[in-house]
């Protein structure tokens, strides 16, 4: 149980284009999901908290107009990187907190490797 | 400001050579401390959650313990498949569920 999927697993795009990444909880409902970014040899940095049916909460320094988050259902959150540039190349990982989680556990997706040329 | 510091940064072990990883934390009020395992190019895999000082949890060759200032992840008689980066994260009382991660300890277990 507590499986989270992400799609796509890898994406390569040209500078200036937009890329959408999907995060799905496959066997549980999640009112809250989180989006992280991880650069090589570094730890996970929280970008934003996504809540179903409401606006996402972004961490300081994260541009909300560049990283659009939509949490339209209890099993799906999407992250759209708009007008991507090479510096946006990174490993994007989502996590979901099951609504049944007693202790606020988060379960992570497998990640999406974004390369912007 | 909440801080999480993991040590060592890297650890190389012979198969069967037990060791411990450290996670020191500073947080206004600890709601939970989490351990994850991450393999290269993959998302973190949940291992343990600890909530109060003195608490211990075990899973196969791994055992996590918690004090008021730090947590240890003990690896007993490791095998090559235990090679991974082990991440520690804390959740503060006022964090709305957000996790703050340490930089991780990269563990390599050689046969």
């Amino acid at each position: 149980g507590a499986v989270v999927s992400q799609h796509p697993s890898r994406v390569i795009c040209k500078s200036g284009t937009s890329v959408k990444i999907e995060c799905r909880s496959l066997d549980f409902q999640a009112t809250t999901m989180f989006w992280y970014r991880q650069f090589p040899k570094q730890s996970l940095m929280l970008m934003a908290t996504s809540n179903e049916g409401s606006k996402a909460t972004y961490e300081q320094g994260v541009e909300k107009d560049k990283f659009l988050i939509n949490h339209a259902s209890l099993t799906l959150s999407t992250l759209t990187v708009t007008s991507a540039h090479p510096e946006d190349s990174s490993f994007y990982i989502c996590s979901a907190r099951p609504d049944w989680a007693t202790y606020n556990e988060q379960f992570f997706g497998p990640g999406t490797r974004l390369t912007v040329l | 400001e909440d801080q999480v510091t993991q040590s060592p940064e890297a650890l190389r072990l012979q198969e069967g050579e037990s060791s411990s990883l450290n996670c020191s934390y500073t947080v206004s009020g600890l709601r939970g401390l989490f351990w994850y395992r991450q393999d290269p190019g993959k998302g973190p895999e949940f291992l343990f959650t600890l909530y109060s000082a003195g608490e211990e949890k075990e899973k196969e060759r791994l055992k996590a313990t918690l004090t008021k200032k730090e947590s240890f992840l003990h690896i007993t008689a490791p095998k090559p498949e235990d090679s991974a980066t082990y991440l520690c994260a804390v959740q503060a009382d006022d964090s709305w569920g957000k996790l703050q991660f340490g930089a991780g300890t990269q563990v390599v277990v050689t046969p």
Side-chain angles (χ1 to χ4, degrees):
Chain A
V3 179
V4 178
S5 70
Q6 276 184 248
H7 179 79
S9 57
R10 290 179 176 271
V11 57
I12 301 172
C13 68
K14 292 183 178 179
S15 186
T17 61
S18 294
V19 173
K20 180 185 283 189
I21 302 170
E22 291 187 349
C23 176
R24 291 182 186 273
S25 55
L26 298 185
D27 52 2
F28 63 93
Q29 293 185 328
T31 302
T32 303
M33 293 184 176
F34 302 87
W35 286 95
Y36 295 82
R37 195 154 89 165
Q38 187 175 34
F39 291 106
K41 304 290 186 182
Q42 295 187 24
S43 194
L44 283 76
M45 295 298 295
L46 180 65
M47 299 174 66
T49 303
S50 169
N51 291 297
E52 188 267 340
S54 63
K55 290 184 179 180
T57 304
Y58 291 82
E59 294 301 298
Q60 193 171 7
V62 177
E63 299 175 58
K64 62 180 180 181
D65 294 331
K66 181 169 186 60
F67 298 100
L68 301 179
I69 292 172
N70 184 15
H71 194 152
S73 79
L74 290 173
T75 59
L76 173 65
S77 176
T78 60
L79 169 69
T80 301
V81 183
T82 63
S83 187
H85 288 95
E87 56 266 30
D88 298 322
S89 297
S90 188
F91 193 50
Y92 291 87
I93 312 175
C94 72
S95 72
R97 183 175 69 201
D99 288 348
W100 50 252
T102 308
Y103 302 113
N104 285 316
E105 306 94 302
Q106 292 178 30
F107 296 91
F108 286 80
T112 296
R113 173 77 57 194
L114 171 64
T115 303
V116 185
L117 302 176
Chain B
E1 185 180 324
D2 300 340
Q3 283 196 328
V4 183
T5 304
Q6 290 188 246
S7 62
E9 290 184 11
L11 189 60
R12 193 173 184 89
L13 301 171
Q14 289 276 343
E15 185 172 2
E17 178 188 0
S18 302
S19 188
S20 294
L21 315 181
N22 177 267
C23 172
S24 298
Y25 64 90
T26 305
V27 64
S28 52
L30 181 70
R31 188 172 181 87
L33 185 141
F34 299 75
W35 282 98
Y36 288 87
R37 167 195 170 123
Q38 186 175 27
D39 292 307
K42 298 190 176 180
E45 174 189 344
F46 174 76
L47 294 174
F48 304 108
T49 312
L50 302 165
Y51 297 98
S52 55
E55 190 175 1
E56 298 182 352
K57 287 193 177 173
E58 287 187 70
K59 179 180 180 180
E60 296 181 352
R61 294 177 294 281
L62 300 176
K63 178 179 177 181
T65 61
L66 181 66
T67 72
K68 288 186 177 180
K69 293 185 177 182
E70 57 191 351
S71 176
F72 292 93
L73 183 67
H74 308 278
I75 309 178
T76 302
K79 297 182 178 181
E81 52 262 42
D82 295 321
S83 297
T85 296
Y86 291 86
L87 299 169
C88 168
V90 298
Q91 187 176 96
D93 280 336
D94 59 353
S95 67
W96 298 94
K98 295 189 294 186
L99 295 178
Q100 180 164 348
F101 280 86
T105 294
Q106 185 179 19
V107 174
V108 175
V109 182
T110 57

